[in-house]
Amino acid sequence: ASTSGPRSGTGQAGSAIDTTGADMIIVSVSGYGSVPTVSDSEGNTWVNLSTSGATRKQRLSYCLSPTTNSSHTFSCTGGGFPSMSIVAFSGVGSYESENFSADVGGTTVQAGAVTPTTDNSLVFIGAVNEGGIYNAVDSGFTLETAVVYTAGVAMGDATAYLVQPLAASVNATLTCSTSTNQSASVAVFTTTG
């Protein structure tokens, strides 16, 4: 299950989703100048990974063994022009490693290479942009969510993932619809499959 969007007046991003059965929920949260803080309707505790970018900031936050709900909502506080993408997974074992980029300009961004240590690992990317919308990703990844940049309202945000059959170094490229400033981060998780 997944949802995404800019922060609303109540702090919620995206619509409620059914996370029943998930054993990990991961969030990409983006902002200008500072990165927002994640919370959710079930009071889960979030592990924050490193923040990408210098000005266009993005961070992955995850919760293993979360409390779930059939109408689970997600919110954020702080950050400039925040947006979020939320994805719930089943079959995730544990966190393994991460990488992240600085601010870059252009139509593409890479979070940096990661090398899972086990087959069937989950590789998850989050990215922020200050123009347009992410519309493509390579290296076999699935583009799961994409929030369009809205000037004065919300940074663009996107997530993509790959369950990698055989462990190998990977450094996927996300493509944005326009040349803009952006950054990205990536995390690796072992799976129980």
Side-chain angles (χ1 to χ4, degrees):
S2 64
T3 188
S4 62
R7 181 175 65 197
S8 70
T10 63
Q12 183 177 324
S15 56
I17 57 172
D18 185 356
T19 57
T20 306
D23 51 31
M24 183 186 76
I25 302 171
I26 187 165
V27 175
S28 172
V29 62
S30 297
Y32 185 89
S34 61
V35 68
T37 300
V38 175
S39 61
D40 70 310
S41 60
E42 303 309 300
N44 285 301
T45 299
W46 298 89
V47 177
N48 297 324
L49 298 182
S50 298
T51 300
S52 71
T55 304
R56 293 93 194 155
K57 293 182 177 289
Q58 179 274 333
R59 183 178 65 214
L60 296 176
S61 301
Y62 71 91
C63 178
L64 290 168
S65 301
T67 300
T68 60
N69 191 292
S70 60
S71 56
H72 204 151
T73 59
F74 301 84
S75 301
C76 61
T77 57
F81 315 119
S83 61
M84 291 173 63
S85 295
I86 302 101
V87 187
F89 289 97
S90 61
V92 176
S94 60
Y95 164 79
E96 186 173 278
S97 63
E98 67 173 315
N99 204 345
F100 54 93
S101 77
D103 282 347
V104 297
T107 58
T108 62
V109 66
Q110 291 180 308
V114 289
T115 305
T117 60
T118 59
D119 295 344
N120 300 310
S121 290
L122 170 66
V123 185
F124 190 90
I125 300 171
V128 59
N129 66 59
E130 195 179 4
I133 188 170
Y134 287 107
N135 55 21
V137 63
D138 66 6
S139 303
F141 280 71
T142 297
L143 186 66
E144 180 67 16
T145 63
V147 179
V148 66
Y149 168 78
T150 305
V153 177
M155 301 299 288
D157 186 89
T159 61
Y161 72 92
L162 169 69
V163 179
Q164 191 183 54
L166 299 175
S169 179
V170 63
N171 189 9
T173 300
L174 285 97
T175 301
C176 190
S177 62
T178 188
S179 183
T180 185
N181 297 302
Q182 49 194 320
S183 70
S185 63
V186 59
V188 177
F189 298 86
T190 61
T191 60
T192 58

